[in-house]
Amino acid sequence: MRPRPARTRPMPMQPWFADAKLGIFVHYGIYAVDGVPESWSFYTGQVSHEQYMRQLDGFTAARYAPRSWARLFARAGARYAVLTARHHDGVALWDTAQGDLSVARRTPAGRDLIGPYAQALREEGLKVGLYYSHSDWNHPDYASVVHPQPPMPDVSTSRWVVPADGRQDPAAWQRYLAYRDAQVAELVTRFRPDLLWFDGEWERSEEQWGLDALAAAILAGNPETVLNARMLSHGDYATPEQGIPVEPPPGPWELCLTVNDSWGFQHGDHHHKSVSRLVRYFTETIGAGGNLLLDVGPREDGTITPEQTARLEGLGAWIRAHSDAVHGTVAGLPPGHHYGPSTLSADRRTLYLVCFDAPREAVSVRGLRNRVRRVSVVGTGTELGHDVTGGLHEVPGVTWIDAPPAGDVDRHATVLAVELDGELDLYRGTGRS
């Protein structure tokens, strides 16, 4: 993960993104036919390129029902979704005019899959996100130049990335950029995504990618488009993967996380995270000021597995029961004040404390200068007693909140609403020397 760069766009970050809290990432493509890793399986030699591309013949999207997807995502509590319009393998999910490598022209699916997806999301009130890889390991002009400062060895050695004879071909690279820019323009003009989620940026420098011109073109088409950090200096937010950062990135950010261990559908991957674990990831992420972009991988026919469906619905049920602690909140207490994540109401007058385990005697909050007006259990409304012990001069005592009754304990995570006498005021000092 790279530090979030400064934005150069003329407009501020779109407010919907910060309050979305949950998005759904969808890795859908021909790789679901054999259930192999998306694009990477031929890049690393797990399968031959020929075998990988034969999956075009088996991709049917026979049961693709984007309205069912959108309804499921809404039940999960998501406010947006991001679909892989084109991964590193170069196979487009729409009928692109830039060559014939698309599911519309080269697979039995035989149609555009992006338009119905965008329409279905909007019908459910969800924002539309599209993933697009800067890199295309199938394009004849892609392996034509070399990164001037390769961030990892294979960027300067892979036959899918650099010219085999070492001779750079700037003209070929310009043809590739024209192809990429034209495809992105198709996505912007045809589907008007609210968010564009780029990838593959590590294989070239920002100057080589021509990101100044690309960002200008995207924002000219829709100035409100949100861009992720893989647009480098033009990115609006950071995108750590598969693990909550110990130190959250500055500014807006989003954790992309798989429900099991794979981005796309893989037949043998049954290592699904439990609903309780997903609630932990979710609350720890929003408690640190980020969004969770939770990934599912549909089968080649377009259906999402029962295991992944159940987890989305389980997470959504928890979010609905605790919506006050989710939407309309900002990052909560810094580490050290409470044993667990927390969020804070937008007016900064209500703290929401997340407790993963059933509290035994009491829940403590340290460093709270405010007087507590009331504490209740989110979802049931049960009021809890509280008191303060200790404290000396400027150092506040510890606020103790009575443990909720067993009937008020949520099996995934219990949330306590702590109403304060004013805006949150925390002591962050080291105590009396």
Side-chain angles (χ1 to χ4, degrees), residues 3-77:
R4 178 181 174 268
R7 275 189 284 112
T8 58
R9 66 159 68 219
M11 295 188 65
M13 179 65 162
Q14 294 303 306
W16 68 262
F17 182 84
D19 196 44
K21 308 302 183 187
L22 179 68
I24 305 298
F25 212 173
V26 187
H27 275 66
Y28 186 41
I30 65 168
Y31 36 85
V33 174
D34 292 341
V36 295
E38 58 292 330
S39 307
W40 290 100
S41 51
F42 77 79
Y43 181 97
T44 62
Q46 178 178 335
V47 300
S48 69
H49 181 260
E50 180 183 15
Q51 179 181 343
Y52 184 92
M53 298 308 292
R54 276 203 299 267
Q55 293 178 108
L56 287 165
D57 299 331
F59 186 79
T60 66
R63 299 173 64 191
Y64 176 59
R67 283 192 173 89
S68 294
W69 283 12
R71 288 192 289 267
L72 172 61
F73 301 163
R75 292 197 302 275

Side-chain angles (χ1 to χ4, degrees), residues 43 142 145-158 160-162 202-204:
Y43 181 97
Y142 184 68
V145 295
V146 180
H147 195 303
Q149 294 180 307
M152 54 194 77
D154 63 316
V155 171
S156 57
T157 59
S158 172
W160 307 108
V161 180
V162 299
W202 66 88
E203 293 191 334
R204 301 286 186 263

Side-chain angles (χ1 to χ4, degrees), residues 42-218:
F42 77 79
Y43 181 97
T44 62
Q46 178 178 335
V47 300
S48 69
H49 181 260
E50 180 183 15
Q51 179 181 343
Y52 184 92
M53 298 308 292
R54 276 203 299 267
Q55 293 178 108
L56 287 165
D57 299 331
F59 186 79
T60 66
R63 299 173 64 191
Y64 176 59
R67 283 192 173 89
S68 294
W69 283 12
R71 288 192 289 267
L72 172 61
F73 301 163
R75 292 197 302 275
R79 298 288 179 88
Y80 66 108
V82 178
L83 173 62
T84 48
R86 201 215 71 192
H87 208 267
H88 315 313
D89 60 12
V91 181
L93 293 192
W94 77 100
D95 189 11
T96 177
Q98 309 305 311
D100 69 347
L101 190 52
S102 71
V103 298
R105 301 190 188 193
R106 295 279 298 278
T107 77
R111 64 193 188 281
D112 162 47
L113 303 181
I114 302 294
Y117 153 84
Q119 180 179 346
L121 289 188
R122 291 188 169 114
E123 288 173 356
E124 290 294 327
L126 276 65
K127 297 293 185 180
V128 176
L130 294 176
Y131 166 111
Y132 184 89
S133 175
H134 290 294
S135 57
D136 182 343
W137 298 330
N138 260 314
H139 196 282
D141 291 322
Y142 184 68
S144 55
V145 295
V146 180
H147 195 303
Q149 294 180 307
M152 54 194 77
D154 63 316
V155 171
S156 57
T157 59
S158 172
R159 68 189 181 105
W160 307 108
V161 180
V162 299
D165 58 6
R167 297 180 187 176
Q168 299 197 62
D169 186 344
W173 181 245
Q174 290 305 310
R175 290 195 298 269
Y176 176 76
L177 289 183
Y179 149 82
R180 181 211 54 184
D181 293 351
Q183 283 202 325
V184 172
E186 290 177 347
L187 296 176
V188 171
T189 56
R190 290 191 202 176
F191 311 118
R192 297 193 62 77
D194 302 287
L195 183 152
L196 279 171
W197 209 104
F198 286 93
D199 201 5
E201 83 295 343
W202 66 88
E203 293 191 334
R204 301 286 186 263
S205 68
E206 179 160 359
E207 183 179 4
Q208 286 174 318
W209 284 128
L211 295 188
D212 287 351
L214 179 61
I218 292 169

Side-chain angles (χ1 to χ4, degrees), residues 80-379:
Y80 66 108
V82 178
L83 173 62
T84 48
R86 201 215 71 192
H87 208 267
H88 315 313
D89 60 12
V91 181
L93 293 192
W94 77 100
D95 189 11
T96 177
Q98 309 305 311
D100 69 347
L101 190 52
S102 71
V103 298
R105 301 190 188 193
R106 295 279 298 278
T107 77
R111 64 193 188 281
D112 162 47
L113 303 181
I114 302 294
Y117 153 84
Q119 180 179 346
L121 289 188
R122 291 188 169 114
E123 288 173 356
E124 290 294 327
L126 276 65
K127 297 293 185 180
V128 176
L130 294 176
Y131 166 111
Y132 184 89
S133 175
H134 290 294
S135 57
D136 182 343
W137 298 330
N138 260 314
H139 196 282
D141 291 322
Y142 184 68
S144 55
V145 295
V146 180
H147 195 303
Q149 294 180 307
M152 54 194 77
D154 63 316
V155 171
S156 57
T157 59
S158 172
R159 68 189 181 105
W160 307 108
V161 180
V162 299
D165 58 6
R167 297 180 187 176
Q168 299 197 62
D169 186 344
W173 181 245
Q174 290 305 310
R175 290 195 298 269
Y176 176 76
L177 289 183
Y179 149 82
R180 181 211 54 184
D181 293 351
Q183 283 202 325
V184 172
E186 290 177 347
L187 296 176
V188 171
T189 56
R190 290 191 202 176
F191 311 118
R192 297 193 62 77
D194 302 287
L195 183 152
L196 279 171
W197 209 104
F198 286 93
D199 201 5
E201 83 295 343
W202 66 88
E203 293 191 334
R204 301 286 186 263
S205 68
E206 179 160 359
E207 183 179 4
Q208 286 174 318
W209 284 128
L211 295 188
D212 287 351
L214 179 61
I218 292 169
L219 298 177
N222 179 11
E224 297 183 352
T225 308
V226 175
L227 305 174
N228 72 337
R230 301 175 195 200
M231 277 292 284
L232 301 178
S233 67
H234 297 278
D236 292 304
Y237 68 95
T239 53
E241 291 186 27
Q242 294 288 50
I244 299 170
V246 175
E247 185 69 30
W253 63 280
E254 167 195 79
L255 170 67
C256 40
L257 178 80
T258 52
V259 169
N260 53 9
D261 291 335
S262 309
W263 296 104
F265 174 73
Q266 293 190 31
H267 300 82
D269 187 354
H270 304 295
H271 190 214
H272 294 87
K273 298 170 181 68
S274 66
V275 172
S276 291
R277 192 162 294 181
L278 292 175
V279 168
R280 286 187 179 233
Y281 273 110
F282 177 66
T283 54
E284 288 175 0
T285 299
I286 67 172
N291 288 352
L292 177 63
L293 185 63
L294 186 60
D295 177 80
V296 295
R299 304 180 185 98
E300 68 80 19
D301 66 0
T303 56
I304 297 173
T305 68
E307 294 84 358
Q308 297 196 344
T309 297
R311 281 149 178 85
L312 293 188
E313 292 184 331
L315 177 59
W318 187 90
I319 291 174
R320 284 192 298 277
H322 302 87
S323 59
D324 288 348
V326 175
H327 296 293
T329 65
V330 296
L333 298 169
H337 291 272
H338 162 62
Y339 291 112
S342 61
T343 57
L344 181 65
S345 61
D347 65 5
R348 304 184 63 81
R349 290 172 175 265
T350 303
L351 265 175
Y352 296 99
L353 307 178
V354 180
C355 304
F356 295 129
D357 299 313
R360 286 191 280 269
E361 179 187 357
V363 174
S364 64
V365 184
R366 293 174 295 282
L368 189 60
R369 285 195 176 108
N370 301 80
R371 183 177 64 84
V372 174
R373 296 176 56 241
R374 180 175 182 269
V375 181
S376 59
V377 181
V378 175

